[in-house]
Amino acid sequence: MTSAKKIYLAVAGGLVAAGIVLAGIGFALSGFDSTVFTTQIDMRDDTVILGGVEVDDPVGLPFIGQLAKLGEIDTTGVVAHEC
């Protein structure tokens, strides 16, 4: 295995391990409440639910506000032109 692959696998493994540790810490700090793993983001009606609690102003949250700026594309009325 080349050294680039070893470095890549080491970094990827470290990030996965850090994510699991942080998720475990959050779960423990919540009092072992499984609702911390439930997240729903629906920008059509500006509903964001984090940990079972609805957020009042989701556009003010980092990254979620950027999702709101993306908008959505409606493709239900698209039909092919006849020649």
Side-chain angles (χ1 to χ4, degrees), residues 17 21 23 25 30-31 35 42 48 50-51 61 64 72 76 80-82:
V21 167
I25 290 171
S30 72
T35 59
D42 187 3
V48 175
L50 299 174
L61 293 173
I64 294 178
E72 79 180 49
T76 57
H81 292 281
E82 293 184 22

Side-chain angles (χ1 to χ4, degrees), residues 24-65:
I25 290 171
F27 182 61
L29 289 175
S30 72
F32 300 102
D33 187 8
S34 63
T35 59
V36 297
F37 297 112
T38 60
T39 299
Q40 297 174 356
I41 300 173
D42 187 3
M43 295 311 291
R44 290 176 289 184
D45 59 354
D46 291 333
T47 303
V48 175
I49 299 174
L50 299 174
V53 178
E54 185 172 349
V55 178
D56 291 334
D57 183 24
V59 180
L61 293 173
F63 303 115
I64 294 178

